[in-house]
Amino acid sequence: MIAKDLIDYGIPLLKSEDKVSRALDLMEEFEYARLPVVKDGYYAGFLAEGMIRNHNGEQINDFSLLGENGEIDQSSHYYDLIKCALEFDLPLIAIKDHQGFYLGAVPTASAFEMFVTGSVLRMPGGIIVLSLNYRDYSLSEIGRIIENGDAKIINSQMSMDPNDNSKIWLTLKLNKEDISHLISILEFSGYQVERHFSAHLNNENTQERYDSLMNYLKI
């Protein structure tokens, strides 16, 4: 699946010369708090409702747009779309053709849905995200610890820790819903658990974390 296949053509676009009143009308009609702006056929950024709510008589040109880097090529894999969305914290990603012209926008949630549907993340089980130094990374060692806790790793992914460039995030998908004891084992073994998600909710903090993930996927 490539980025072009995920475009939602129901998302309206704004032109840089449009009035703020038009932007507000479209946001209300289509129930989007952020819309893409195009200048001379090229993606220019996103306009957010909070930026313009009290500026009805002005033009979009008068505002500094958000997410200028939130754009990828139409033939990019949807993994690249997810990467862009996470890197720039955007609910929408603009798609351009091979000449650079704006084609449309993809909701971040659509890319996540595609990722979840087509991966083992759809299988039951909790998720643990570890933050660790790259030199300390050993999947076999972490796997041994998990197996000692009577669980197995069914998928793992590595990415840069957004809070520290010297570290990585290791996301582990496990075959157990109740991961509270696994978190304790990992922390006892010296690993930093950055985040964790599970449908088996044992406390209020875990409930908040799980709800946060679900809300993010529904952006």
Side-chain angles (χ1 to χ4, degrees):
M1 181 71 70
I2 61 174
K4 183 180 179 180
D5 297 330
L6 293 175
I7 291 177
D8 184 345
Y9 292 100
I11 299 174
L13 65 85
L14 298 167
K15 295 181 179 180
S16 57
E17 63 269 22
D18 282 342
K19 294 284 189 180
V20 164
S21 56
R22 170 173 168 76
L24 290 171
D25 287 344
L26 288 175
M27 289 175 178
E28 181 178 356
E29 179 181 355
F30 290 91
E31 299 182 346
Y32 278 99
R34 187 176 297 192
L35 290 177
V37 178
V38 174
K39 184 174 183 179
D40 299 326
Y42 296 94
Y43 166 74
F46 290 107
L47 187 72
E49 181 181 7
M51 299 164 53
I52 60 173
R53 176 53 66 184
N54 299 316
H55 301 272
N56 195 45
E58 300 181 36
Q59 287 186 327
I60 294 174
N61 268 330
D62 299 326
F63 296 86
S64 296
L65 301 177
L66 305 172
E68 292 90 344
N69 296 316
E71 178 185 45
I72 63 173
D73 188 79
Q74 62 176 349
S75 59
S76 300
H77 194 277
Y78 71 87
Y79 281 1
D80 295 318
L81 199 154
I82 292 173
K83 178 181 178 183
C84 184
L86 292 175
E87 182 175 358
F88 299 108
D89 192 23
L90 295 171
L92 293 172
I93 298 296
I95 308 301
K96 61 182 177 180
D97 66 15
H98 298 311
Q99 285 74 46
F101 290 105
Y102 175 84
L103 289 177
V106 176
T108 298
S110 296
F112 274 103
E113 182 180 356
M114 177 61 63
F115 177 63
V116 171
T117 301
S119 74
V120 295
L121 292 179
R122 193 178 183 185
M123 298 172 61
I127 297 173
I128 294 177
V129 182
L130 303 178
S131 176
L132 66 161
N133 294 317
Y134 182 76
R135 65 176 180 274
D136 297 329
Y137 167 67
S138 173
L139 187 59
S140 60
E141 174 64 18
I142 296 171
R144 183 188 62 80
I145 294 172
I146 295 294
E147 288 181 1
N148 285 343
D150 194 28
K152 291 185 180 296
I153 299 173
I154 57 177
N155 183 261
S156 66
Q157 293 185 348
M158 186 190 303
S159 60
M160 294 300 299
D161 186 331
N163 303 314
D164 188 340
N165 290 333
S166 67
K167 294 185 176 182
I168 60 170
W169 272 9
L170 181 64
T171 302
L172 305 173
K173 171 69 177 185
L174 308 174
N175 67 336
K176 297 281 188 179
E177 288 285 5
D178 185 359
I179 57 175
S180 55
H181 68 296
L182 297 171
I183 293 170
S184 298
I185 292 173
L186 287 165
E187 290 178 336
F188 181 79
S189 300
Y191 288 96
Q192 178 183 337
V193 177
E194 186 69 25
R195 299 177 181 176
H196 55 88
F197 308 101
S198 174
H200 189 101
L201 306 173
N202 297 315
N203 53 60
E204 182 178 352
N205 185 53
T206 305
Q207 176 74 63
E208 291 175 355
R209 290 172 180 266
Y210 184 75
D211 290 343
S212 176
L213 175 64
M214 293 301 103
N215 289 333
Y216 183 73
L217 294 180
K218 295 176 182 177
I219 291 176

